[in-house]
């Protein structure tokens, strides 16, 4: 911590010194000036441009053009250049010379129709796109200073659901779903970084140039068997201009939890526990005399009369974060970007931390006019540390009552509850240390043998190593009256695993593009192969007499063990695409990919994934030429099929499990053996997703107003399920292609941007909805796991339980209601609906469970606002979900459950004197009528959140250029700043359903500087 504070002080001193030097350099005599005037026009149409900002470079002197494009500006002596900028046009720097009149033409920016969008294996003009593609620029992503790039996508694109379920360092990335959940198996989108499969969270967000999300089958079919859940294409930055440039981004931040549950104190807890015991006809635990002694002595003798605030005792981490990134770019014949990034995150709970180093080298070489080469190298190291049994720590801090001791007055660890002490575990119970090393390179050669033809070769080897060291340290816990420790666990143990992965990808891509008269064609064909191999080893020992020396050889050889394994798979692919455009008015695109996967048996390895899409740019029709305020009006339609091969490595093969010992002979002799545990199905093949999409693109007033709207249906067939077989075989069920899931929905994106003199702004809004439904399970349903249900006619993982009708208010209500089969029922207990009434039993039992909620978000939305005025900039992101449910159980919402503690909102519990209570009568037990999965515990998890706000100031160039700084920007930023929701106190709406084993989500407050030399 001292090192971090020292670093921050040094950073602060450095920044203040820069500002002081800038101000000193700016001092001096004002120089005489002269007037320069002129006209600014559109380079293509010749029309005058009103509202263009005209700035004397290196000063704050400037003006804007009038309605006829005219301007007049006073230019100080010594100034040699004017800068012209206008929204939608390329900024222009013009030398003044000795002229007093200077007319300027400006080119339209490559935005809107001329913007180039990254698509599968290439780029396309946005105007010619016929598929559904969302594009996010690096500037939009970098507005949020996050440790995991996936979180920065939240609220930026319609149809892309991003949910951050944890705030744990190193595990605080988001879950991304493109247009819903398409399968009950792996629903993760395919992420490609510079054309190679990778991880979005592995990237430093400062290295990202743009992200394209391919949402429909027409845009994603070129990736075939890996694209069923959508494709995310990440393009990293290159060397840019030939001029050498150095950019430094540095920030420090602190976190605090967004919300925490509030618990009652020890005295209130014991009184409530007595009431709970009385409610089930048991003798109260705590006598009146003990309660009186407790109140008398708890301040003077906290060892014997503790009143522990477990949150205060545990949440003592600094929450400090730092992120530093430096990049060097430029070059002509060899254009290069080299960058290095460092991130560190300390948890708000001791023992939790994450650290990452990123290095990138992107080089482009123009060897000859028709021959180019590219080398991309990426390396990183991740180190994530957490205490042993991290989930148990998070659960116990929300569970253990305040009447148990965390730490004795003399500094020794208390025994907590049943020798479980989460504070001792976090601080002194050992750790899980995970280190991930990664190295990937891409070597590319591109050759153009003749005009329009391009041949590209890519080879990308990847190596990674995943090392985990888990040391479970034996804790010494004490009671106040004993010097003899209780050991938990009884013996320290050490587990180490080491996994190595290699993956090699080879691509050959041919492209041909030709324009003739009113026709434009593009043809692409390619070959790709991927070979993946992994191997791992594991070691274990226990009994470490020197607990501060956790090295494998320091452990006992008694009960030691080791193990290891290996696996591999391969993918062979052929793909092609054809594009045709007539007068940029009528558009056609067709894709096909053939994939062969080693995951399937011979005869079933290859799948064909086609797509076709059409586009009609109505705005290019002759009858629309007079409607000059319509810049673009395009109707799109597409159909395609995609696959999903993420089904495990060997689901089609009979595998043998090593390990059982067999006894042979009249003289018993033991021999190691192997056994088959599951059936194999050689006939299984791809999960196939079929999508129909209809879209409308509208741009008005030279792209100042834009709208994109899509309607779609996606049906996933042949989902792998384990269908029932007879139990007499002794083997588990094989996978079979059986399930069908449908997603229907729509996406809407609206945007507006404009400029008025020195004030610029951009506003974008996105809204989407998806309705998920399981169509067919071929008799495998219902699939029930706790409170989750997969069943025909309902969304995947629907919340399943009893329908609550409120609380019983009297014995007469109980007598007149169907009999509930969950123990003794009394007034104040939850009343459930008799849904099925099977066999007319008039009872409520397991058959009365039904669907009571949906965990798949609907009506997800985001509002992005960005404003600039002179040197100031302000951006805000408001994000939310309109309809979704969450269910909480156990210690998250059940008071006194299994000797757990009690939250403050539970105090409004039912008693005869409080018949209108919001919480049932208190029960001290581990199972009861009130502790059932029911709609009583299902919450409306919709919310609206100020996800991010950032305020920045860029110092005038006239101040910074004196010290060789091209740009100096200071900013403050906040994440997860304000939330409106319907959740119980202490539970964030983004966290998952379930019990209390949750690392809370945190708000982040960041201070940063961006410097360009």
């Amino acid at each position: 911590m001292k090192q971090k504070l020292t670093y921050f002080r040094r950073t602060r001193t450095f920044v203040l010194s820069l500002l002081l030097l800038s101000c000193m350099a700016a001092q001096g005599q004002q120089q005489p000036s002269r007037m320069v005037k002129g006209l600014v026009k559109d380079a293509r149409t010749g029309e005058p441009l009103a509202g263009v900002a005209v700035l004397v470079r290196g000063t704050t002197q400037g003006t804007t053009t009038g309605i006829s494009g005219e301007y007049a500006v006073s230019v100080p002596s010594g100034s040699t250049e004017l800068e012209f900028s206008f929204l939608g046009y390329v900024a222009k720097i013009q030398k003044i010379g000795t002229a007093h009149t200077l007319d300027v033409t400006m080119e339209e920016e490559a935005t809107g129709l001329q913007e180039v969008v990254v698509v599968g294996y290439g780029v396309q003009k946005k105007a010619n796109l016929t598929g559904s593609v969302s594009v996010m620029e690096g500037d939009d992503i970098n507005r949020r200073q996050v440790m995991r790039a996936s979180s920065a996508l939240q609220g930026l694109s319609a149809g892309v659901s991003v949910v951050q379920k944890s705030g744990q360092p190193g595990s605080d990335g988001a879950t991304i779903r493109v247009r819903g959940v398409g399968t009950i198996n792996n629903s993760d989108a395919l992420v490609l970084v510079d054309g190679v499969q990778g991880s979005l969270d592995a990237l430093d967000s400062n290295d990202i140039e743009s992200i394209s999300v391919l949402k429909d089958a027409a845009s994603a079919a070129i990736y075939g068997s890996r694209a069923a859940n959508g494709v995310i294409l990440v393009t990293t930055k290159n060397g840019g201009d030939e001029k050498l440039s150095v950019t430094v981004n540095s920030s420090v931040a602190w976190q605090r939890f967004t919300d925490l549950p509030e618990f009652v104190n020890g005295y209130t807890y014991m009184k409530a526990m007595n009431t709970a015991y009385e409610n089930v006809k048991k003798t109260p635990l705590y006598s009146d005399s003990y309660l009186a002694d407790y109140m008398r002595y708890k301040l003077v003798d906290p060892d014997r009369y503790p009143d522990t605030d477990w949150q205060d005792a545990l949440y003592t981490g600094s929450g400090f974060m730092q992120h530093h990134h430096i990049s060097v770019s430029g070059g002509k014949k060899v254009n290069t970007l080299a960058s290095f990034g460092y991130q560190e995150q300390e948890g708000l709970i001791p023992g939790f931390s994450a650290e990452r180093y990123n290095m990138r080298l992107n080089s482009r070489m123009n060897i000859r006019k028709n021959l180019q080469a590219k080398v991309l190298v990426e390396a990183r190291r991740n180190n994530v540390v957490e205490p042993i049994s991290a989930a148990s720590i998070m659960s116990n801090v929300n569970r253990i009552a305040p009447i148990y001791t965390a730490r004795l007055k003399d500094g020794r660890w208390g025994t907590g509850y049943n020798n479980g002490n989460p504070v001792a575990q976090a601080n002194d119970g050992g750790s899980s240390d995970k280190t991930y090393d990664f190295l990937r390179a891409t070597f590319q050669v591109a050759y153009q043998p003749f005009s329009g033809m391009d041949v590209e070769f890519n080879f990308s080897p990847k190596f990674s190593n995943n090392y985990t060291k888990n040391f479970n340290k034996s804790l010494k816990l004490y009671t106040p009256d004993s010097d003899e420790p209780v050991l938990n666990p009884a013996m320290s143990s050490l587990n180490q695993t080491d996994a190595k992965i290699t993956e090699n990808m080879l691509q050959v891509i041919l492209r041909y593009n030709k324009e003739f008269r009113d026709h434009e064609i593009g043809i692409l064909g390619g070959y790709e192969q991927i070979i993946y191999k992994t191997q791992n080893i594991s070691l274990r020992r226990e009994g470490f007499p020197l607990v501060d020396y956790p090295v494998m050889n320091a452990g006992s050889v008694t009960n030691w063990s080791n193990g290891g394994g290996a696996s591999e798979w391969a993918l062979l692919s052929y793909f092609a695409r054809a594009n045709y455009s007539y007068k940029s008015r009528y558009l056609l695109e067709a894709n096909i990919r053939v994939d062969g996967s080693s995951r399937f048996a011979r005869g079933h390895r290859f799948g064909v994934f086609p797509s076709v899409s059409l586009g009609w740019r109505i705005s290019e029709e002759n009858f629309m030429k007079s409607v000059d305020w319509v810049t673009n009006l395009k109707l799109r339609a597409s159909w395609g099929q995609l696959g999903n091969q993420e089904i495990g490595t060997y689901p089609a093969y009979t595998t043998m499990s090593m390990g059982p010992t067999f006894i042979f002979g009249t003289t018993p002799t033991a021999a190691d053996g192997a056994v088959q545990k599951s059936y194999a199905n050689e006939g299984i093949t791809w999960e196939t997703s079929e999508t129909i999409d209809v879209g409308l693109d509208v741009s008005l007033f030279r792209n100042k107003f834009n709208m994109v709207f899509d309607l779609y249906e996606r049906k996933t067939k042949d989902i792998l399920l384990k269908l029932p077989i007879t139990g007499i075989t002794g083997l588990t069920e094989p996978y079979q292609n059986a399930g069908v899931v449908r997603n229907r929905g729509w996406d809407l994106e609206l945007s507006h941007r404009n400029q008025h003199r020195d004030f610029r702004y951009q506003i974008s809004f996105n809204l989407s909805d998806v309705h998920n439904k399981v169509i067919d399970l071929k008799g495998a349903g219902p699939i029930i796991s706790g409170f989750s249900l997969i069943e025909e006619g309902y969304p995947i993982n629907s919340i399943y339980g009893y329908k609550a009708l409120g609380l019983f208010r009297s014995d007469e209500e109980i007598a007149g209601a169907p009999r509930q089969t969950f123990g003794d029922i009394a007034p104040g207990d939850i009343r459930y609906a008799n849904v099925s009434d099977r066999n007319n039993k008039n009872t409520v039992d397991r058959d009365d469970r039904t669907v009571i909620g949906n965990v798949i978000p609907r009506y997800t939305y985001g509002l992005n606002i960005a404003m600039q005025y002179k040197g100031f900039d302000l951006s805000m992101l408001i994000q939310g979900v309109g309809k979704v449910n969450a269910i909480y159980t156990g210690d998250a919402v059940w008071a006194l459950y299994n000797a757990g503690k009690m939250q403050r909102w539970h105090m409004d519990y039912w008693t005869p004197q409080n018949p209108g209570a919001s919480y049932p009568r208190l029960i001290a037990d581990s199972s009861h009528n009130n502790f059932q999965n029911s709609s009583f515990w299902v919450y409306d998890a919709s919310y609206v959140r100020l996800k991010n706000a950032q305020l920045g100031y860029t110092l005038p160039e006239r101040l910074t250029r004196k010290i060789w700084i091209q740009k100096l920007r200071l900013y403050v930023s906040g994440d997860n700043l304000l939330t409106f929701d319907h959740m119980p106190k202490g539970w964030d709406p983004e966290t998952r359903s379930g019990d209390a084993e949750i690392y809370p989500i945190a708000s982040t407050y960041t201070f940063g500087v961006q410097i360009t030399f």
Side-chain angles (χ1 to χ4, degrees), residues 682-697:
E682 294 186 356
I684 63 171
T685 186
W686 317 89
E687 294 183 355
T688 301
S689 176
E690 185 175 55
T691 303
I692 299 174
D693 186 286
V694 178
L696 179 67
D697 300 345

Side-chain angles (χ1 to χ4, degrees), residues 522-533:
I523 299 174
L524 178 145
Y527 165 85
E528 180 178 272
Q529 70 175 35
I530 300 173
I531 299 175
Y532 175 98
K533 296 181 180 180

Side-chain angles (χ1 to χ4, degrees), residues 664-677:
F664 296 97
T666 55
T667 302
T669 303
D672 292 334
V675 64
Q676 179 183 349
K677 291 186 177 180

